[in-house]
Amino acid sequence: QVQLVESGGGLVQAGGSLRLSCVASGNIFRIGTMGWYRQAPGKQRELVASITSGSITTYTDSVRGRFTISRDNAKNTVYLQMNTLKPEDTAVYYCNMKIFSNDYWGQGTQVTVSS
């Protein structure tokens, strides 16, 4: 059994920063790609950023240059540093990890950016 636990969400003013963390626990040998997704009210879940096991990163256009994804393999953890936050970044953020060809999801953490 694998569990992902997220932390770091909250309420912040526009222009501010937050750092999300997601830790995996359980029967883990090796984690493949890690990613962060978000879902705003009334919208589909979208990929925000991902990082492969070789640390190749991708970002959706709207966050490129403001968000940074990173990983610590020794801690089974993925991070999302979010800077210069905008009201349109408001959403529930979910982490995702690919382990043994299966997809695992965190429970979600709310990020609210006030204008």
Side-chain angles (χ1 to χ4, degrees):
Q1 187 73 12
V2 175
Q3 281 192 317
L4 305 187
V5 178
E6 299 144 346
S7 60
L11 173 64
V12 64
Q13 288 189 332
S17 298
L18 285 174
R19 189 192 195 205
L20 305 183
S21 301
C22 176
V23 182
S25 62
N27 184 20
I28 300 168
F29 173 66
R30 183 173 177 272
I31 303 175
T33 298
M34 300 178 176
W36 287 96
Y37 291 71
R38 67 186 179 187
Q39 188 167 18
K43 295 188 177 180
Q44 288 189 330
R45 188 174 299 190
E46 66 169 346
L47 175 64
V48 176
S50 66
I51 182 167
T52 69
S53 56
S55 294
I56 297 173
T57 58
T58 61
Y59 298 92
T60 192
D61 288 345
S62 62
V63 309
R64 190 174 292 112
R66 299 188 296 121
F67 291 9
T68 303
I69 189 170
S70 61
R71 62 190 287 165
D72 185 334
N73 293 326
K75 296 181 179 179
N76 295 329
T77 300
V78 61
Y79 305 97
L80 186 68
Q81 177 66 44
M82 305 185 293
N83 298 328
T84 319
L85 282 160
K86 303 176 180 180
E88 51 263 44
D89 294 318
T90 295
V92 178
Y93 284 70
Y94 300 88
C95 67
N96 170 274
M97 296 188 187
K98 300 189 186 306
I99 305 171
F100 301 125
S101 300
N102 293 322
D103 271 312
Y104 293 92
W105 294 88
Q107 79 284 0
T109 185
Q110 177 70 45
V111 171
T112 302
V113 185
S114 63
S115 58

